[in-house]
C-alpha cells in the first residue's frame, strides 16, 4: 500500500512540475505586462506592443531552432555570427542578380538564404557528431569563422541591398496582414510547424530521448548522429528565416549584425522551460521567452530604473537565475 501511495505521490509531483514548466513562461509574461503598465501606462499601447513583438520575432525564430538543438543535448553559440553571414550572402546574391532578374532576385535570394543556413547548421552538426567535438567548442569555432567571413565580405564596412530592390523587399518586415506585422506571423508559423514536429512526430520524441540519455537512446536503436545533425540543420534553417526577415529592417549587412544574439537565444530557450541539459523542449515557451526579453529591454527604455545600456547584463542575470531555478527544481 505504501508503495502505491508513494508512486501516486511521485506521479502527481511530476505532473505538477510538467504543468508549471508549461505555464510558467506565460505567467511570467503576464506579470511583466502588469508591472510594465504600472510603471508606464504607454507600455501596453497597441503601437508599443506591436513594435516590441515584431522586434522579438528574429530571436523567437532562431530560438525555436535552438529548442531542437538544446533538447537533443547540444548547444549552438554561432547563431548570431551565422545570421550575419547569411544576411551578407543573401544581399550579395540579390544585388548580383538584380540587373538581370529584376525583382525576381528577391525570392531567389530567400531560397539561397535557406540553403546556406541549412548548410551552415549541417556543418555545425557534423562537426559535433561525426567529429565528436564538444558543442561549446565546435560552435565557438564556427562563430569566429562566420564573423570573420562577413567582415571579409564587407571589407569591414556594410553590404547594402540594391536600391532597386529596397521598396519591394520592405513589406517582409514592415508589411502587415490583417493589421498584424508580417514578422510576427512568420514567427508564429515557424513555431507552429516546430511544435508539431517536436510533439507529434517521431523525430521530436527521438530528439528528447537523445537529450535525456544518449546511451539509452542508442540502445533503443536511435541514431545519435542523425538525430543531432538534423537538429543543427533545423537551427540553421531557422537562422536563415530570421535573416530573411531582418534584411529589410536595416537594408544592409554589417560585421556587427547579430552580435550577442546567441545570448538572447539561449536565454529565451531557458526561460521558456527547455532544459539546458537536454531531454525536454517547449517551443511555445521559447517564443514567450523571446517576447519577455524584448519586453524587459523596452521597459528599461521607458523607465529610469536601469540604464538601457545594461540590457545585455540584465539578460545575463536572467539566464543565471533561470538555470538556478532549473537546478533546484530538478
Amino acid at each position: 500500500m505504501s508503495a502505491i501511495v508513494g508512486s501516486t505521490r511521485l506521479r502527481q509531483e511530476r505532473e505538477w512540475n510538467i504543468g508549471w514548466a508549461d505555464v510558467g513562461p506565460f505567467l511570467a509574461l503576464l506579470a511583466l505586462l502588469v508591472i510594465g503598465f504600472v510603471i508606464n501606462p504607454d507600455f501596453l499601447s497597441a503601437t508599443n506592443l506591436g513594435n516590441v513583438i515584431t522586434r522579438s520575432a528574429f530571436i523567437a525564430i532562431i530560438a525555436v531552432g535552438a529548442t531542437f538543438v538544446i533538447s537533443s543535448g547540444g548547444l549552438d553559440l554561432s547563431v548570431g555570427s551565422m545570421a550575419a553571414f547569411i544576411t551578407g550572402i543573401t544581399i550579395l546574391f540579390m544585388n548580383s542578380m538584380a540587373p538581370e532578374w529584376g525583382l525576381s532576385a528577391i525570392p531567389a535570394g530567400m531560397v539561397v538564404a535557406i540553403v546556406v543556413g541549412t548548410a551552415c547548421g549541417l556543418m555545425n552538426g557534423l562537426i559535433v557528431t561525426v567529429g565528436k567535438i564538444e558543442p561549446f567548442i565546435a560552435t565557438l569555432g564556427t562563430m569566429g569563422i562566420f564573423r570573420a567571413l562577413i567582415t571579409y565580405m564587407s571589407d569591414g564596412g556594410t553590404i547594402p541591398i540594391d536600391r532597386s530592390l529596397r521598396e519591394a523587399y520592405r513589406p517582409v518586415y514592415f508589411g502587415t496582414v490583417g493589421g498584424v506585422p508580417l514578422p510576427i506571423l512568420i514567427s508564429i508559423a515557424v513555431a507552429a510547424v516546430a511544435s508539431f514536429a517536436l510533439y507529434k512526430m517521431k523525430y521530436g520524441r527521438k530528439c528528447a530521448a537523445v537529450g535525456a540519455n544518449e546511451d539509452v537512446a542508442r540502445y533503443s536503436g536511435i541514431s545519435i548522429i542523425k538525430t543531432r545533425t538534423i537538429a543543427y540543420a533545423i537551427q540553421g534553417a531557422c537562422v536563415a528565416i530570421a535573416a530573411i526577415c531582418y534584411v529589410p529592417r536595416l537594408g544592409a549587412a554589417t560585421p556587427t549584425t547579430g552580435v550577442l544574439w546567441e545570448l538572447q537565444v539561449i536565454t529565451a530557450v531557458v526561460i521558456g522551460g527547455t532544459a539546458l541539459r537536454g531531454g525536454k523542449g517547449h517551443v511555445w515557451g521559447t517564443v514567450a521567452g523571446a517576447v519577455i526579453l524584448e519586453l524587459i529591454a523596452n521597459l528599461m527604455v521607458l523607465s529610469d530604473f536601469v540604464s538601457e545600456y545594461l540590457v545585455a547584463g540584465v539578460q545575463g542575470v536572467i539566464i543565471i537565475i533561470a538555470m538556478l531555478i532549473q537546478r533546484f527544481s530538478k
Side-chain angles (χ1 to χ4, degrees), residues 29 44 89 117 132 155 175 203 208 220 279 301:
L29 179 59
L44 287 184
I89 290 289
K132 298 187 183 302
D155 197 23
Y203 174 74
S220 301
V301 172

Side-chain angles (χ1 to χ4, degrees), residues 293-309:
L293 288 179
E294 194 61 43
L295 284 174
I296 291 175
N298 179 251
L299 188 58
M300 291 173 66
V301 172
L302 294 178
S303 67
D304 297 325
F305 294 145
V306 183
S307 171
E308 61 184 281
Y309 299 112

Side-chain angles (χ1 to χ4, degrees), residues 135-212:
F136 178 85
I137 301 299
T139 57
L140 189 64
T142 54
M143 177 178 70
I145 293 172
F146 294 141
R147 188 64 66 185
L149 287 174
I150 181 60
T151 304
Y152 172 77
M153 291 189 301
S154 64
D155 197 23
T158 62
I159 306 177
I161 189 171
D162 190 273
R163 290 180 178 274
S164 63
L165 302 177
R166 288 184 182 178
E167 286 303 317
Y169 204 161
R170 279 178 59 86
V172 175
Y173 179 78
F174 296 99
T176 61
V177 176
V180 181
L182 200 54
I184 296 178
L185 296 176
I186 294 173
S187 63
I188 292 174
V190 170
V193 173
S195 179
F196 179 81
L198 193 61
Y199 302 141
K200 301 297 183 181
M201 295 179 64
K202 289 183 179 179
Y203 174 74
R205 292 191 289 272
K206 290 179 180 179
C207 214
V210 169

Side-chain angles (χ1 to χ4, degrees), residues 61 82 86-87 89-90 106-122 186 190 232-245:
I61 293 170
M82 188 191 300
I86 296 171
T87 302
I89 290 289
T90 303
I106 294 176
M110 293 178 179
V111 173
V112 168
I114 298 295
V115 172
V116 172
T118 305
C120 290
L122 187 62
I186 294 173
V190 170
Y232 279 98
I234 292 173
Q235 171 75 95
C238 287
V239 173
I241 295 172
I244 290 171
C245 296

Side-chain angles (χ1 to χ4, degrees), residues 73-75 124 127-129 131-141 232:
L75 187 67
N124 278 342
I127 293 173
V128 171
T129 56
K132 298 187 183 302
I133 300 177
E134 286 294 323
F136 178 85
I137 301 299
T139 57
L140 189 64
Y232 279 98

Side-chain angles (χ1 to χ4, degrees), residues 9-28:
R9 182 177 301 170
L10 179 61
R11 185 171 63 254
Q12 291 174 343
E13 290 177 354
R14 287 176 176 173
E15 290 174 352
W16 166 255
N17 290 333
I18 293 174
W20 174 252
D22 289 336
V23 303
F26 301 99
L27 292 178

